[in-house]
């Protein structure tokens, strides 16, 4: 009920704002957006999304992971959709987001391969710990920040596709997954002058 009342107040303010712009004969999307967002709190992981060079669908996968909304087997079991929550890839532990992306023996090598290629050492930890480390890495404004952000997003998305290929198609696509991720990093980062220069050095 409190949220409904709050939204009603927002709509009243929006109507007043709209009438002012209509009278002036000039519409400002920036002012409208700022007015809608002024009461909203920024999530802690917004730095992972800001100026992210990855494709929209890759960013959506990362966004779902940050929200804890990916359809991993532990969530599906809680909803009563499936009976077993064992990992589809290794079959040794419960399939949680932490396990799929950061502790499964089938995906650990993928992370190491990609991060080693961009010159970044990383030992996968539970998501709650890794998230803070990733946030620390994406606070800067240089090419290293943008490259790490891009590599993180592309890897999360490809690992999720790999998991889905095993669940739905019974097909192990891990053979060329590192090369596929690197190709996408190069494709998306090449248009950025500073990142493109670094990618050229990495490809030598």
């Amino acid at each position: 009920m409190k949220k409904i009342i709050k939204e009603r107040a927002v709509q009243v303010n929006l109507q007043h704002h709209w009438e002012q712009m209509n009278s002036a004969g000039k519409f400002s999307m920036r002012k409208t957006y700022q007015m809608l967002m002024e009461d909203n709190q920024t999530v802690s992981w917004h730095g992972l999304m800001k100026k992210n060079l990855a494709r929209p669908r890759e960013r959506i996968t990362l966004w779902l992971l940050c929200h804890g909304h990916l359809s991993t087997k532990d969530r599906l079991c809680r909803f009563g959709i499936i009976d077993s929550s064992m990992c589809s890839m290794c079959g040794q532990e419960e399939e949680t987001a932490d396990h799929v992306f950061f502790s499964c023996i089938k995906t650990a090598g993928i992370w190491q391969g990609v991060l080693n290629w961009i010159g970044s050492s990383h030992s996968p930890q539970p998501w709650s710990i890794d998230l803070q480390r990733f946030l620390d890495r994406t606070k800067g404004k240089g090419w290293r920040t943008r490259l790490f952000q891009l590599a993180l997003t592309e890897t999360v998305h490809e690992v999720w596709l790999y998991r889905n290929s095993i669940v739905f198609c019974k097909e192990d696509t891990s053979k060329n997954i590192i090369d596929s991720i690197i190709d996408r990093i190069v494709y998306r980062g090449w248009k950025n002058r500073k990142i493109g220069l670094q990618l050229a050095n990495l490809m030598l």
Side-chain angles (χ1 to χ4, degrees):
M1 184 60 71
K2 289 181 180 179
K3 289 184 178 180
I4 294 174
I5 295 174
K6 182 179 179 180
E7 286 302 316
R8 184 175 63 179
V10 171
Q11 293 302 319
V12 171
N13 291 336
L14 181 59
Q15 180 65 32
H16 179 66
H17 176 68
W18 178 265
E19 291 174 354
Q20 285 182 329
M21 291 190 298
N22 193 36
S23 299
K26 185 177 181 181
F27 178 78
S28 173
M29 188 63 193
R30 174 180 291 183
K31 290 181 179 179
T32 303
Y33 177 78
Q34 290 175 344
M35 190 206 69
L36 290 172
M37 297 298 294
E38 62 184 5
D39 293 328
N40 294 329
Q41 295 181 350
T42 302
V43 293
S44 61
W45 40 264
H46 76 282
L48 298 181
M49 303 296 173
K50 187 177 181 181
K51 296 183 179 180
N52 195 321
L53 297 175
R55 293 173 297 172
R57 64 179 180 179
E58 275 77 357
R59 297 200 301 269
I60 288 173
T61 303
L62 180 61
W63 181 83
L64 289 170
L65 174 61
C66 290
H67 272 291
H69 287 169
L70 285 174
S71 298
T72 49
K73 284 190 171 181
D74 65 320
R75 295 190 76 235
L76 296 176
C77 276
R78 290 200 302 271
F79 298 149
I81 299 175
I82 59 176
D83 297 325
S84 174
S85 62
M86 292 301 292
C87 177
S88 305
M89 294 180 288
C90 69
Q92 298 178 6
E93 297 183 34
E94 183 181 38
E95 186 185 276
T96 63
D98 276 350
H99 176 74
V100 168
F101 292 100
F102 306 106
S103 62
C104 182
I105 58 174
K106 294 289 188 176
T107 59
I110 297 172
W111 283 103
Q112 292 176 356
V114 174
L115 294 178
N116 285 342
W117 185 78
I118 66 172
S120 175
S121 60
H122 176 71
S123 178
Q125 300 290 328
W127 175 240
S128 57
I129 299 175
D130 260 343
L131 177 58
Q132 186 56 53
R133 295 169 67 180
F134 293 155
L135 291 173
D136 292 339
R137 293 287 300 274
T138 53
K139 286 181 178 179
K141 297 181 179 180
W143 65 266
R144 288 184 177 84
T145 296
R146 300 280 82 83
L147 181 59
F148 179 82
Q149 185 185 54
L150 177 58
L152 167 67
T153 309
E154 294 290 347
T155 304
V156 165
H157 182 73
E158 288 297 323
V159 167
W160 186 242
L161 291 183
Y162 168 48
R163 177 265 183 194
N164 288 343
S165 70
I166 293 178
V167 172
F168 300 111
C169 304
K170 310 300 180 185
E171 181 182 0
D172 190 332
T173 59
S174 62
K175 183 177 180 180
N176 300 316
I177 192 170
I178 295 177
D179 291 337
S180 177
I181 294 171
I182 291 174
D183 287 344
R184 295 190 187 282
I185 292 171
V186 172
Y187 177 75
R188 296 299 296 181
W190 197 259
K191 296 179 181 180
N192 183 290
R193 184 176 62 84
K194 292 183 179 180
I195 294 179
L197 291 174
Q198 300 305 319
L199 290 173
N201 293 330
L202 292 173
M203 294 169 66
L204 292 177

